[in-house]
Structure formats: structure tokens, C-alpha cells
Amino acid sequence: MSEIPSLLAGYENADPLPTTYNADGKSLTNIPGPRSAAYDDFPKPIDSSNNGFDFHIYYIPTAPEEAKYAAELHERIRREFPELRIYRLWDKPVGPHPVPMFEVNVFTPHQTGTLFAWLAVNRGPLSVLIHPNTDDAFRDHTELATWMGKPWPLNTRPLKK
């Protein structure tokens, strides 16, 4: 098993961080520094040549209220975020996804954070699988994935190299 690289590589000779607290008495004081490149560009190994992240929004078609909500959410995302790539509303499981869903692709870190925040308050009863796109689809859909709502078991066999 390979060793996990340190996230502090490059900071070995940095000044120690302050241990003082801000006026709220809870949050730590940070040293002003340069803006992180991650605000503007996806970190490696994310490959943004096609799109950086996929948002898969799941629904149960046999639950009428949920299917209606999914259709409305799909339309609302198309209207509110026309710059994103939004796929059709599937009525059956597709690929590794165990239930019907639709997919939304984002192309920048700014779009990723915006859609994430928007879905946090607007996804309703639906679950959302969010994953980056690297050169490893299996890892993208498992280890690197994040869920909003109930996680669903994926059929990962087609994703393995």
C-alpha cells in the first residue's frame, strides 16, 4: 500500500500558525495570505477538459410526488442555470445509477459551489451524488464522491478498469 502524501508539502518551513482566537472567541486567527488557486481552477487530479464535476439527481419514479418534484427541479435548474450542461430526465436506471436521475455538469469551481449551495436548499426529497471527473471513474463515483440526502448503492462493475 502506498503512503498517503502529506497535504502540508511545501509548507515545511512556513511560520507557525497563530493560536489566538478572533473576537467571537471560537474561530482561530489566520495569517493573511495569497488567494488559493482552487477558487479559480480545479485541483489535480480533476480533469476539467470536459467538465469538473457531475451532479446526479436521483428520484423514485413510482412515488408521484417525488417524480413531479424531480421534473420541476430539472426545469428550474435549466431556467436558473442555462450555462450548465443539463441532461435529460431519465425514467430508468442508467449506468451505475440504481434509480432514474438527471445529470448536471459544472465547469468551474465557482459553478460547483453555487450549484452545491443552491441544491442544499432546493433539492427537496431527492438525493444527489456529486463527483469529480478524474481519469478514474470508479474512484470518482466511490472514494471521491459526496452525497446530499440518502446515499444509494451504485452498480460499480461497469466503472472498474
Side-chain angles (χ1 to χ4, degrees):
M1 185 165 122
S2 63
E3 186 176 325
I4 298 172
S6 172
L7 290 173
L8 296 176
Y11 291 91
E12 295 87 347
N13 298 316
D15 290 335
L17 291 171
T19 57
T20 56
Y21 292 96
N22 290 314
D24 65 12
K26 298 182 279 186
S27 62
L28 292 163
T29 306
N30 283 326
I31 311 168
R35 176 181 158 102
S36 171
Y39 282 107
D40 301 309
D41 297 306
F42 290 116
K44 296 297 177 202
I46 297 172
D47 178 7
S48 60
S49 62
N50 184 23
N51 65 287
F53 277 80
D54 295 347
F55 287 71
H56 298 276
I57 297 136
Y58 290 25
Y59 72 98
I60 301 173
T62 55
E65 301 86 19
E66 196 166 304
K68 180 178 185 287
Y69 195 88
E72 290 176 353
L73 183 64
H74 184 263
E75 180 175 338
R76 175 69 185 273
I77 291 171
R78 290 186 66 200
R79 291 182 185 281
E80 184 128 354
F81 303 102
E83 68 282 3
L84 304 181
R85 183 167 49 211
I86 302 149
Y87 291 83
R88 64 178 279 193
L89 192 65
W90 291 95
D91 60 358
K92 63 182 181 187
V94 177
H97 309 287
V99 295
M101 57 94 194
F102 66 94
E103 178 179 344
V104 180
N105 298 158
V106 295
F107 304 95
T108 68
H110 184 73
Q111 290 174 340
T112 306
T114 299
L115 186 61
F116 186 96
W118 191 88
L119 283 171
V121 297
N122 289 293
R123 70 174 177 79
L126 310 181
S127 291
V128 183
L129 167 64
I130 305 154
H131 70 80
N133 290 303
T134 70
D135 65 353
D136 187 340
F138 178 79
R139 188 169 176 244
D140 294 348
H141 286 79
T142 56
E143 181 183 337
L144 299 179
T146 299
W147 285 91
M148 289 180 162
K150 173 188 163 196
W152 288 83
L154 301 179
N155 174 12
T156 57
R157 282 183 303 242
L159 301 174
K160 294 182 180 176
K161 291 182 180 178

